[in-house]
Amino acid sequence: MKKKDIIVQKYGGTSVATTKRIKEVAERVIYTKKAGNDVVVVVSAPGDTTDELIALAKKITDNPIERELDMLLATGEQQSIALLAIAINALGYKAISFTGSQVGIITDKIHTKARIIKIDGKKIEKALKLGKIVIVAGFQGMNTKEDITTLGRGGSDLTAVALAAELKAKICELYKDVEGIYTTNPNIVPKARKLPKISYDEMLEMASLGAQVVNGRSIEFAKKYNVPIYVRSSFNEKTGTLITGEEKNMMEKLLISGVTLDKDEAKLTILGVPDTPGVAAKVFRSIADRHVNVDMIIQDVSEKGITNISCTVDKVDLKKTLIALGRIKSEIGATGIIADENIAKVSVIGVGMLSHPGVAASMFEILAEKKINIEMISTSEIKISCIIEKKDAEKAVQAIHRKFNLDKQKGSKL
C-alpha cells in the first residue's frame, strides 16, 4: 500500500477566532484528509487571546517573570487545539490534539523567544497510522527542565515548518488572513501585487525587515530543510504564494520583489565613546547578554579619539537595552545615551539586485525627491534598508513602490 503524503496546515488566530470559523477550518482540514492525505494541523491561539493574556499579566506587574509568562501564554493554543479536535470529531472524522511538549518539541532554555533544538515525531506518526488527524498547539515547546517555553511572535509558523521538516511532509500550508505575499502592504499601497512565487532568501529578508505575514525563523528552517511553503487565505479558495528554492524562471528574478516597512524598531545612540579597541565589543556583549538582537549598527568618524555608536533594536527590547547600556556607560567612559522611538525602516528586496547596479542610487534619489532624510543605511546582496523618520514612512513606501513599477505584472525597472 502506497504511503500517504503528509500535509502540514497551520491556521492563524483570526482563522480560529470564533466557533463558526473553527467549524470552517474543520471542514477544510477534512477536505484535505478526504483527498487521500495524512494531515497535521498547527493552530494559534484564538483571535487576540495572546495579547489579552499579556495585558492581564501586565496588570499585575510591568515585568512578569518570563517562565510564568510562558506558562500563561501557552494556554491560548490549548483552547484552539481542543476546540478544533472537537469540531472535527463532531463531523465524523477522528482527530486528536497535542500540546507542543506532548509531541516532543524540545527547545533551549530561553523563555519567550525559545529556539527549537529537536522534535520527536513518533507520537504524531503513531496517531497518523491510526487514521487520525493530528492537531498540534503552535508557538510552544518544552525545555530540558520540562518547563513550558514559547517561540516568540509568529511562533506557530515555526512550529508548522519544523513539524513539516521532521515528518518529511509534502508541503507546509500557512493559512492566513491575507491571500499571499504582496509587493508591499496593500493597506499602504492599494495597487500592491500578489506574488505567485518567491525565494526563501527574499522571503527571509522581507520577514526580517517588517513584512509580518510569515515568521522569519520559519523561513530559515524551511530553507535549511527544503520545506516548500504555501501561503494562502483561510477565508477563500484563491491561489496564494509559494515560497521555495530559487528557480531559473522564477518571477522574482526581476529586479525588486518587494518593499517592506517596519515601525517597531527603536534607535539608540551611545554618545562620547572612546574610540579604542574592545569598546564596541563590550557595548554589544552587554546587549547580547540580555538576549536582545541588534539590527543596524553605525559608528561615526572618530574625532579626537571620541566617537558615537548607533544601533537599532526591536521596541519590545528597548527597556532591556537601555538598562544594559546604562550599566556599562561609566565602565567604557561614554557621556550619554539617546533613545529614539520615532523611526521607521523602509527596505527594498530582490534577488535581481545581484546583477543590477543602481538600485541604491534610485532608492536614495526618490527619498531625496520626497525630502525624506536618511539616518542609517544597511545593505546585503539582495536588500537595501534605510532608517527614516516615522512620519515619512508610508510616503516613502508609496514612492519607492511607484519608482520600481511594482504594481506592474512585468515588474521593476531602474
Side-chain angles (χ1 to χ4, degrees):
M1 185 176 176
K2 184 183 175 184
K3 186 179 178 182
K4 292 181 179 180
D5 287 327
I6 297 174
I7 293 180
V8 175
Q9 297 183 335
K10 178 263 175 176
Y11 293 88
T14 54
S15 305
V16 291
T18 65
T19 52
K20 180 177 181 291
R21 289 182 178 178
I22 289 170
K23 289 178 181 178
E24 290 169 352
V25 168
E27 290 173 353
R28 185 169 289 213
V29 171
I30 289 170
Y31 177 84
T32 307
K33 175 70 174 174
K34 287 168 71 174
N37 305 291
D38 279 336
V39 189
V40 177
V41 184
V42 174
V43 287
S44 300
D48 296 324
T49 299
T50 301
D51 288 335
E52 290 166 1
L53 290 171
I54 291 171
L56 192 61
K58 290 198 171 182
K59 284 183 178 179
I60 296 172
T61 173
D62 285 337
N63 296 296
I65 295 171
E66 291 185 337
R67 180 194 181 277
E68 303 308 327
L69 191 60
D70 276 354
M71 186 73 78
L72 175 66
L73 298 185
T75 64
E77 279 69 24
Q78 289 182 45
Q79 296 176 44
S80 297
I81 60 173
L83 290 168
L84 183 56
I86 289 167
I88 292 171
N89 279 284
L91 292 171
Y93 283 76
K94 294 185 289 184
I96 186 169
S97 65
F98 297 116
T99 64
S101 58
Q102 283 178 315
V103 294
I105 298 176
I106 307 301
T107 75
D108 61 18
K109 297 177 183 178
I110 307 301
H111 284 288
T112 74
K113 293 181 182 179
R115 302 189 76 86
I116 295 174
I117 297 172
K118 64 178 181 178
I119 297 176
D120 182 353
K122 292 177 184 175
K123 199 163 191 174
I124 294 175
E125 290 169 350
K126 183 179 178 181
L128 292 176
K129 285 178 182 177
L130 294 172
K132 296 180 179 180
I133 295 167
V134 176
I135 306 165
V136 180
F139 176 65
Q140 61 182 252
M142 176 179 70
N143 64 25
T144 53
K145 290 183 177 180
E146 298 188 351
D147 288 332
I148 290 174
T149 54
T150 61
L151 307 177
R153 284 295 187 179
S156 293
D157 287 354
L158 179 57
T159 302
V161 173
L163 286 174
E166 172 64 23
L167 299 168
K168 296 180 173 53
K170 180 181 179 181
I171 197 165
C172 180
E173 299 176 342
L174 303 182
Y175 287 87
K176 305 277 186 174
D177 55 3
V178 294
E179 293 179 3
I181 309 301
Y182 285 76
T183 50
T184 196
N185 186 339
N187 294 321
I188 298 175
V189 182
K191 289 185 178 181
R193 186 167 45 87
K194 183 169 63 180
L195 301 170
K197 286 185 180 180
I198 190 168
S199 70
Y200 291 130
D201 288 338
E202 288 173 302
M203 192 64 240
L204 184 57
E205 290 284 14
M206 289 180 77
S208 67
L209 296 170
Q212 298 176 340
V213 179
V214 182
N215 172 276
R217 284 161 58 196
S218 69
I219 303 300
E220 288 179 9
F221 220 99
K223 181 182 177 182
K224 182 176 180 180
Y225 295 100
N226 198 30
V227 177
I229 297 174
Y230 192 52
V231 180
R232 62 186 305 183
S233 172
S234 60
F235 304 120
N236 60 51
E237 298 298 327
K238 293 182 181 178
T239 58
T241 301
L242 180 65
I243 307 171
T244 185
E246 218 176 300
E247 297 174 6
K248 287 183 180 179
N249 297 321
M250 189 177 284
M251 180 180 171
E252 283 61 52
K253 269 288 193 182
L254 295 166
L255 182 58
I256 299 297
S257 297
V259 184
T260 62
L261 176 63
D262 188 352
K263 294 182 180 180
D264 295 323
E265 289 198 359
K267 177 184 172 186
L268 290 148
T269 301
I270 312 151
L271 304 170
V273 179
D275 191 10
T276 55
V279 170
K282 288 181 180 179
V283 168
F284 292 103
R285 170 50 58 195
S286 71
I287 297 173
D289 285 346
R290 288 190 170 262
H291 309 297
V292 174
N293 289 322
V294 174
D295 184 15
M296 293 189 187
I297 301 172
I298 190 167
Q299 181 171 319
D300 294 346
V301 174
S302 178
E303 188 174 336
K304 296 181 181 178
I306 300 295
T307 188
N308 299 325
I309 299 175
S310 297
C311 67
T312 57
V313 299
D314 286 342
K315 275 186 185 175
V316 293
D317 293 324
L318 178 58
K319 187 177 290 186
K320 287 196 287 187
T321 310
L322 283 170
I323 291 170
L325 294 179
R327 288 178 178 172
I328 202 171
K329 174 186 158 188
S330 57
E331 182 183 333
I332 63 173
T335 59
I337 300 167
I338 298 174
D340 183 1
E341 296 184 63
N342 293 310
I343 63 161
K345 178 171 64 178
V346 61
S347 310
V348 293
I349 302 100
V351 293
M353 290 165 58
L354 283 164
S355 55
H356 289 77
V359 176
S362 295
M363 182 179 182
F364 300 159
E365 284 167 0
I366 194 64
L367 291 177
E369 184 182 308
K370 298 297 178 182
K371 296 189 169 36
I372 298 172
N373 188 50
I374 300 171
E375 297 182 20
M376 299 174 77
I377 299 169
S378 174
T379 66
S380 74
E381 289 182 321
I382 64 169
K383 66 95 173 169
I384 300 165
S385 298
C386 297
I387 295 294
I388 60 176
E389 288 187 57
K390 188 185 287 186
K391 66 180 179 63
D392 295 323
E394 296 188 2
K395 179 171 69 172
V397 170
Q398 292 161 355
I400 293 168
H401 198 272
R402 281 195 303 271
K403 176 70 175 178
F404 291 105
N405 298 304
L406 291 178
D407 58 325
K408 305 292 194 299
Q409 194 66 34
K410 290 185 180 180
S412 50
K413 295 179 181 179
L414 287 176

